[in-house]
């Protein structure tokens, strides 16, 4: 990741993440001085984040509100998926075999075509041909 163009950086320290991505970390006082410039960048559609911390260690990141909203929605989707898995595990653990529902029956109930991976599941509001 390159330095933020047009943003004054007094000290940038490379930080290599486990996935191989290199971040440039600026010191905290410089990050504070550059917040107004970052706001202008975000308003101009330049959403590159600003990573900051002390002694080259990343401690925080400044992102646009639009990016935060996107990440917040993803986190909520992930939390919902976790709750769904937890409920499914609890039900499977306490269900007896006579309560099991065959996959084909579930697919039919939800309008899924198990033979067609390219077709999204039917949400129940669209009639099947």
């Amino acid at each position: 990741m390159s330095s933020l163009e047009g943003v004054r950086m007094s000290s940038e320290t490379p930080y290599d993440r486990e996935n191989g991505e290199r971040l440039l970390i600026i010191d905290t006082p410089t990050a504070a001085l550059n917040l107004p410039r970052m706001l202008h960048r975000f308003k101009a559609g330049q959403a590159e984040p600003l990573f900051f911390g002390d002694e080259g260690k990343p401690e925080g990141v400044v992102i646009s509100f639009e990016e935060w909203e996107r990440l917040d929605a993803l986190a909520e989707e992930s939390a919902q998926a976790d709750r769904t898995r937890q409920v499914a595990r609890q039900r499977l653990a306490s269900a007896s075999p006579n309560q099991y529902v065959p996959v084909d029956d579930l697919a039919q109930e939800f309008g899924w075509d198990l033979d067609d991976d390219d077709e999204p599941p039917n949400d129940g509001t669209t009639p099947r041909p």
Side-chain angles (χ1 to χ4, degrees):
M1 183 170 287
S2 63
S3 171
L4 294 173
E5 201 174 299
V7 177
R8 212 177 28 206
M9 302 293 163
S10 65
S11 107
E12 294 178 328
T13 305
Y15 179 84
D16 295 324
R17 296 182 60 204
E18 288 183 19
N19 68 1
E21 180 183 15
R22 175 167 280 189
L23 305 176
L24 294 176
I25 310 303
I26 67 168
D27 61 89
T28 302
T30 302
L33 288 172
N34 281 289
L35 284 177
R37 285 184 180 88
M38 291 303 298
L39 180 58
H40 290 295
R41 290 178 58 78
F42 293 153
K43 287 179 178 180
Q46 300 170 343
E48 185 177 344
L50 173 71
F51 300 94
F52 67 95
D54 297 322
E55 299 175 11
K57 180 182 175 196
E59 301 287 345
V61 60
V62 179
I63 59 173
S64 68
F65 185 73
E66 182 178 294
E67 180 67 6
W68 177 84
E69 283 186 316
R70 187 185 72 77
L71 294 173
D72 187 53
L74 288 173
E76 179 56 36
E77 287 176 20
S78 177
Q80 180 61 38
D82 288 344
R83 288 189 294 271
T84 301
R85 279 191 291 277
Q86 183 180 15
V87 167
R89 284 187 189 112
Q90 289 171 348
R91 288 182 181 173
L92 285 172
S94 63
S96 63
N98 65 341
Q99 295 174 308
Y100 293 171
V101 177
V103 171
D104 290 335
D105 291 352
L106 281 176
Q108 184 177 5
E109 180 180 340
F110 289 105
W112 299 337
D113 183 352
L114 298 178
D115 295 323
D116 186 4
D117 290 336
D118 295 332
E119 186 175 326
N122 185 344
D123 65 3
T125 61
T126 306
R128 287 284 188 198

